[in-house]
Amino acid sequence: MAKTALITGIRGQDGAYLAQLLLDKGYNVVGADRRSGGANYWRLKELGIYKDIKLEYMDLLELTNIIRSIEKIKPDEIYNLAAQSFVPTSFEQPMLTSEINAIGVLRLLEGIRQVNPSTKFYQASTSELFGRAHEIPQKETTPFHPRSPYGAAKLFGHWITVNYRESYRMFACSGILFNHESPLRGMEFITRKLAYAVASIHFGLQDKVVVGNLEAKRDWGFAKEYVEGMWKMLQLKEPDDFVLATGQTHSVREFIEAAFRVVGVHLVWEGSAMNTVGRCKKTGKTRVVVSPDFYRPAEVDLLLGSPLKAKEKLGWKPRVGFEQLVDMMVEADLKRLKKEI
Ligand code: NAP
Ligand code: G4F
């Protein structure tokens, strides 16, 4: 009999790719969909899977709703991808972020425990847990030191998942995923913001992009590969926690340079820190401006993960490299914009 998976955050980047993967594997896929204004299913539509998914109204803020949904759907596996996932918003709305990213995980685990504790559970943990990183590269045993309300809330989500596994012998895994991107990434994140801006500048629809800290470094991988790692974790004999990462790190500045190279623009930089601008080497036109508006109260300076345990125990390894990822994202936005204009 086909397995049933319940995915929270189905309308997000990872939710869409995971739904696609599980449908391909023959699962019945149910998406937990909160009743939010202007609900948008563009990712599921772009992947051509919108009609193959059942949607269930379920909000991580409401335990009774979670219990009823689990009773009704009877999932074999639950993937908790729902979150207030944007770090800057967590400084503006720390309590709402914690209600969703911390207590929301507990509500879900408690719902599973009460209805059917043999349901397998995946928690979307994050490299933001490492924050002010205590070692390089970061691995499963690296101490946590979150640097935002987002990271602190996710830390609770991570430990409560471990706690329910240890206390109630539940099959609960936490994936400590480093940044993963794709053409389906939300526009507020730096990679997609840049891919879209570069495409837009190329077609003359805008002349520059305004960004924040150029020196922050991230371990950027391709989201479609990371959802495969999530699924692999729930197929293990014993539940465990895993880092998924590429093992490579690049600065925001390097991402910007690579993105502009896709459209043949080579940048030269002038100034420093918040007074930096990036100009097109050929035309001298200003294409990048740094503004304090996009700086955070506390920054995560360097993330670099070790995927060694995932390689050994899950047989998971990333294939798409940095340049290929940047290229894929800019090309996708060039194609989208070309259709629109
Ligand atoms: P995303 O695109 O922002 O998607 C998050 C989803 O969560 C959205 O569909 C959102 O629904 C839903 N959501 C928010 N609040 C909710 C609530 N109260 N009840 C139910 N659903 C709610 O994020 P993503 O990039 O796919 O990431 C997936 C998960 O992995 C998140 O938990 C994120 O924190 C974590 N993570 C991501 C990365 C990464 O690099 N992408 C790395 C590590 C961990 P709406 O569509 O209604 O807004
Ligand atoms: O793209 P970002 O907003 O992603 P961030 O903060 O690393 O968080 C993402 O990855 C986490 C995993 O490590 C997830 F848990 C989380 O849910 C999310 O998916 O910012 C990346 C870096 C930061 O250092 C930021 O300061 O880019 C820097 N940055 C510089 N200018 C900018 C900008 N970030 C954004 N969003 N916008 C800018 O203009």
Side-chain angles (χ1 to χ4, degrees):
M1 212 173 79
K3 283 186 190 170
T4 298
L6 173 63
I7 303 175
T8 74
I10 189 92
R11 279 197 272 129
Q13 170 189 259
D14 292 6
Y17 280 124
L18 180 65
Q20 184 186 45
L21 177 87
L22 297 180
L23 286 168
D24 286 348
K25 291 188 181 295
Y27 279 66
N28 299 314
V29 176
V30 184
D33 192 16
R34 66 173 168 165
R35 204 179 274 274
S36 55
N40 194 329
Y41 303 97
W42 69 273
R43 295 182 174 96
L44 300 171
K45 287 179 181 164
E46 198 162 308
L47 293 180
I49 57 172
Y50 177 57
K51 290 200 172 75
D52 303 322
I53 286 162
K54 280 191 210 121
L55 291 172
E56 174 73 19
Y57 279 119
M58 190 180 113
D59 199 309
L60 288 191
L61 298 177
E62 176 64 58
L63 177 63
T64 62
N65 179 202
I66 291 173
I67 290 177
R68 273 195 306 279
S69 299
I70 300 176
E71 280 171 348
K72 179 174 158 197
I73 297 157
K74 299 183 178 39
D76 300 284
E77 297 171 5
I78 297 182
Y79 295 85
N80 182 31
L81 309 185
Q84 190 302 94
S85 69
F86 192 43
V87 173
T89 300
S90 79
F91 287 101
E92 302 298 325
Q93 301 181 333
M95 291 172 206
L96 178 61
T97 300
S98 303
E99 275 297 336
I100 300 170
N101 297 8
I103 305 300
V105 186
L106 175 57
R107 290 190 192 95
L108 205 42
L109 285 163
E110 195 49 33
I112 294 171
R113 187 171 85 88
Q114 289 183 30
V115 179
N116 178 8
S118 66
T119 311
K120 291 184 175 182
F121 178 75
Y122 172 85
Q123 167 58 15
S125 282
T126 163
S127 48
E128 281 287 307
L129 300 182
F130 299 121
R132 192 181 217 163
H134 289 211
E135 62 177 338
I136 302 170
Q138 295 92 48
K139 45 189 187 288
E140 292 78 3
T141 50
T142 303
F144 297 134
H145 187 149
R147 294 273 282 167
S148 63
Y150 169 84
K154 281 280 184 180
L155 184 66
F156 177 85
H158 179 81
W159 280 121
I160 201 67
T161 301
V162 174
N163 181 259
Y164 268 56
R165 177 169 80 217
E166 292 175 353
S167 305
Y168 308 116
R169 303 180 67 77
M170 283 168 51
F171 196 109
C173 298
S174 237
I176 307 172
L177 271 51
F178 282 64
N179 298 50
H180 45 280
E181 319 291 318
S182 74
L184 300 187
R185 189 57 145 147
M187 290 287 239
E188 64 274 39
F189 301 96
I190 188 67
T191 55
R192 181 75 203 291
K193 175 175 169 175
L194 287 166
Y196 182 83
V198 166
S200 230
I201 290 168
H202 180 71
F203 288 121
L205 302 171
Q206 73 184 71
D207 47 56
K208 60 180 182 302
V209 58
V210 183
V211 300
N213 182 8
L214 296 175
E215 313 312 335
K217 290 182 142 189
R218 290 291 181 275
D219 180 329
W220 279 298
F222 178 35
K224 197 172 172 180
E225 297 179 340
Y226 285 54
V227 300
E228 201 164 344
M230 297 175 188
W231 174 78
K232 278 175 178 270
M233 286 179 216
L234 294 201
Q235 312 316 309
L236 287 170
K237 283 212 171 75
E238 296 294 331
D240 203 350
D241 305 323
F242 292 90
V243 160
L244 298 186
T246 67
Q248 304 283 323
T249 193
H250 293 273
S251 65
V252 170
R253 189 192 290 267
E254 287 171 316
F255 195 104
I256 297 175
E257 289 169 352
F260 275 99
R261 274 199 303 272
V262 178
V263 293
V265 172
H266 293 267
L267 291 176
V268 284
W269 298 99
E270 287 169 18
S272 63
M274 288 187 200
N275 296 314
T276 309
V277 293
R279 294 189 205 285
C280 171
K281 195 175 173 185
K282 199 162 141 198
T283 64
K285 284 189 179 153
T286 301
R287 293 308 188 195
V288 185
V289 173
V290 172
S291 160
D293 291 351
F294 291 100
Y295 276 65
R296 298 167 184 191
E299 178 63 281
V300 170
D301 294 320
L302 169 66
L303 291 176
L304 171 60
S306 165
L308 207 66
K309 182 176 169 187
K311 273 185 193 162
E312 283 172 10
K313 298 200 169 162
L314 295 175
W316 179 89
K317 68 168 197 275
R319 293 174 296 272
V320 172
F322 176 72
E323 297 280 341
Q324 200 185 342
L325 177 67
V326 178
D327 199 65
M328 179 201 303
M329 292 182 71
V330 176
E331 289 294 348
D333 275 327
L334 285 167
K335 210 166 144 192
R336 285 178 180 130
L337 275 180
K338 202 172 172 189
K339 260 194 213 159
E340 279 174 27
I341 54 179

